Amino acid sequence: SSRDLDPLNASRQADVGATLAQLGRWDEAAVAYWSAILLAPGDDALKRPLVEVYRYVPTADGSRPLVEAGTPVQIVMDHPAVPGQRGRA
């Protein structure tokens, strides 16, 4: 995959995330976006697509790993979906 060709390129990881999200492969898209964020933690533009993915990530209990009550939207880091995806990044 293109992630393997340039694994330290945050933009490439984000591109892979976008492609996976378009295919509805939400879990894999989240992992790719986490990879991008971990490579470039100061790039807020990489965080927005992860929030969008988390609006669609299916969870066993139907909850979402987001707090949308304020601005900006917050990712709930201890939500069951987040540690596994972030850890695979």
Side-chain angles (χ1 to χ4, degrees):
S1 78
S2 65
R3 287 173 62 185
D4 297 328
L5 294 175
D6 198 0
L8 299 179
N9 184 319
S11 179
R12 176 82 60 221
Q13 300 295 329
D15 290 345
V16 170
T19 300
L20 291 166
Q22 287 178 344
L23 294 171
R25 294 167 56 180
W26 307 116
D27 184 67
E28 294 169 272
V31 171
Y33 283 127
W34 272 117
S35 294
I37 290 166
L38 292 171
L39 289 168
D43 188 344
D44 288 340
L46 296 173
K47 297 172 185 172
R48 285 189 284 277
L50 178 62
V51 167
E52 292 305 314
V53 165
Y54 277 145
R55 288 194 168 116
Y56 297 98
V57 169
T59 58
D61 65 0
S63 66
R64 298 285 175 243
L66 299 173
V67 175
E68 299 193 64
T71 302
V73 173
Q74 302 281 324
I75 295 172
V76 179
M77 297 302 289
D78 61 351
H79 186 279
V82 174
Q85 292 162 341
R86 187 170 187 238
R88 292 194 329 258

